[in-house]
Each structure stands twice: as structure tokens, then as C-alpha cells.
Amino acid sequence: MAAAHGVGPNLFVQETDWYNEILLGAVVPGDWWRGMPHPMRSWLRNTVGGFLLYFLTGFLWCFVIYYWKRHAYIPKDSIPSIEAMKKQIIVASKAMVVYCALPVVSEHMIESGWTRCYFHVSEVGWPMYFVYLALYLIFVEFGIYWMHRELHDIKPLYKYLHATHHIYNKENTLSPFAGLAFHPIDGVLQAVPHVFALFFVPAHFRTHTALMFLEVIWTSNIHDCIHGKVWPVMGAGYHTIHHTTYRHNYGHYTVWMDWMFGTLREPEDILKKD
């Protein structure tokens, strides 16, 4: 796609170098990191950015729902302990350095001209930008649904990978910090559809990059146990059911894949049962 529109891979390299300068230049002391190979600089930037997003989102949201708006959204007996959240932070922090290698791989493929990624919206026009974005999101939603479902259905994958995340199986063990508390390989597998999509759907580079990092915020949100009731969004109400039944609501952004493949369970169904 880049070559077809006359945009060389070097433009993507300049863009990722710009990201590195902005974040690492502002956060990392000294300039020692400038001597690192380009992929290592990008990995360091992703790691620093990932930790910043994880902790800023987690602490801010925990402050709101567990302190400032205490009991407004979550019953007292459903608030996780500080010890539980510490353990989630430790698991997520150990995995973060592995998670952040995946965007480096996708950036390398984009910079090398192997994908259908494009740089300027003007290369396709705004109408096609939104068409391609919709196709990209559908591809990612489908891919994450089936990856997540197979991590449950294939016993060794569940036992050795996904079970690490499912020790958080009650409302009082779930928190925004549980969002990234995965086995590192599990976390990478569930994000891989974002990378595969680049080979099939023309994707705007900055949009793809933003969506990769918005995963940090999204996963924090769907583990806070607050049911937002915004159809068709797969909010925390749906995802809490996934953590308590293990067999429903595998979807990521929306309920559509679960609806299509017969695994959807509404939060209201649980309330009726109770």
C-alpha cells in the first residue's frame, strides 16, 4: 500500500523515531538511549509508554471508583483488597516487557513495506479511511474472539497460559489492574490480530499505533466490574460474567461475535437468575 501511493518505508521510520524522541526525551534521563538500535529504542518507548498508561489509568480509575465515588458503583464487599491489586500489578509488570515487543514487530514490518499500512489519510481519502477502519476493527474483533475462545477450549493453552488471568474470578478480585495481568505469551496472542490485520486491510499507521496502546485503557476498563450498559459495547458487566462463568462473552470491543457464535450472556440474565 505504501509503495502504491509513492510513500517509502523511510517515512514510517521517521515517524517512529519522532515518537521515540517525544516520549524518551521527556521521560528518560540522559541521552544514552539514542545510541541504541532503532528497534530497541522503539521497544523502550513502548515499554515506558505502556507502564505510564497502565499506572495512570489504573490508579486514576481506582481512585474514582474505590475512594472518591466509594460504593456509588460497586458494593462494599466487591471492592478488591490492596493486596490483590498489588499481585495484579506484579503479574502485569513482569509481562509488560514482553507485550511491548509486539508493536516493535509490527512497526518493523510496516517500516520494511511488508504490510498494507498507509501513512497519509489523503492516500485513500476520508470515506475509505472509515471503511478500512471498520474492516480493521471487524478483523481484530473476530480474531481476538477466536483467540480468546481457543485459549479456553484448548486445555493446555488454558492450563499453562490463560489460567494465570482467570485466578481473578470474582468481583472482589477484579480491578482495573487485572486488565493486563496475563501470562506474557497469552497477552501477546490476544493482541496478535492487530498485527495480522495489517496484511489484509489497509490501515492508517497512526490509527493502528493508537489502537494498540488504547488496549491498555480498554482492558483496564472492562475489568472494573462497572456495567456501562452502552450497547453493543462489551463493557465490564459482560466481561465480569466471562470471569465468573468461563464460557461466555469472549468478545473484546462488542457483543456481536458472541451473539453470532452463541456465547453471549447478558448481565441482566444474571440478575434475573439471582
Side-chain angles (χ1 to χ4, degrees):
M1 175 61 70
H5 290 273
V7 177
N10 188 53
L11 195 57
F12 295 108
V13 177
Q14 292 174 18
E15 180 78 1
T16 52
D17 267 336
W18 181 56
Y19 297 160
N20 296 340
E21 286 290 333
I22 290 176
L23 185 58
L24 298 180
V27 175
V28 178
D31 62 355
W32 55 269
W33 52 270
R34 290 190 174 91
M36 299 170 70
H38 177 70
M40 288 299 297
R41 291 199 305 273
S42 295
W43 170 81
L44 182 61
R45 174 249 300 164
N46 292 337
T47 303
V48 170
F51 273 117
L52 285 174
L53 273 178
Y54 176 68
F55 285 115
L56 286 173
T57 303
F59 281 118
L60 176 61
W61 199 225
C62 285
F63 171 77
V64 171
I65 62 178
Y66 302 144
Y67 181 76
W68 185 29
K69 298 289 185 179
R70 184 189 297 267
H71 313 324
Y73 302 112
I74 298 173
K76 183 177 180 180
D77 59 358
S78 295
I79 296 177
S81 67
I82 292 176
E83 190 62 30
M85 289 189 281
K86 283 181 180 178
K87 290 179 179 178
Q88 292 163 8
I89 290 171
I90 291 170
V91 173
S93 296
K94 289 178 179 178
M96 187 73 75
V97 294
V98 179
Y99 297 158
C100 293
L102 184 63
V104 177
V105 173
S106 70
E107 287 174 15
H108 175 72
M109 294 189 300
I110 293 166
E111 291 165 359
S112 300
W114 300 344
T115 70
R116 303 192 69 190
C117 217
Y118 62 93
F119 193 83
H120 296 293
V121 174
S122 60
E123 297 172 47
V124 297
W126 281 107
M128 290 310 299
Y129 166 84
F130 287 110
V131 170
Y132 289 143
L133 176 59
L135 292 173
Y136 175 95
L137 291 173
I138 291 169
F139 186 103
V140 169
E141 184 78 2
F142 179 86
I144 291 178
Y145 172 88
W146 280 106
M147 184 66 75
H148 190 182
R149 186 166 173 176
E150 293 310 305
L151 282 162
H152 279 265
D153 291 345
I154 300 174
K155 301 302 182 187
L157 291 181
Y158 182 83
K159 180 179 180 180
Y160 296 109
L161 297 180
H162 201 51
T164 299
H165 185 62
H166 269 278
I167 62 173
Y168 316 115
N169 57 6
K170 297 177 183 177
E171 287 191 0
N172 62 3
T173 62
L174 285 167
S175 82
F177 289 116
L180 290 181
F182 288 91
H183 186 288
I185 297 175
D186 182 0
V188 168
L189 286 174
Q190 292 200 59
V192 154
H194 277 282
V195 179
F196 283 169
L198 301 176
F199 292 98
F200 300 98
V201 182
H204 181 241
F205 179 63
R206 288 182 180 175
T207 302
H208 162 74
T209 301
L211 287 170
M212 288 284 280
F213 280 90
L214 281 172
E215 288 287 341
V216 179
I217 299 173
W218 180 251
T219 54
S220 295
N221 174 67
I222 63 174
H223 288 86
D224 64 14
C225 298
I226 301 173
H227 183 31
K229 298 181 181 180
V230 180
W231 187 91
V233 175
M234 177 68 74
Y238 290 98
H239 198 72
T240 302
I241 290 173
H242 173 74
H243 273 265
T244 55
T245 70
Y246 296 79
R247 307 304 302 174
H248 302 91
N249 302 352
Y250 300 101
H252 192 53
Y253 296 122
T254 72
V255 303
W256 289 334
M257 294 299 160
D258 284 284
W259 174 77
M260 287 174 60
F261 297 110
T263 54
L264 181 64
R265 189 168 186 182
E266 299 279 351
E268 287 74 13
D269 295 339
I270 297 292
L271 294 175
K272 289 175 184 176
K273 183 178 178 181
D274 293 341

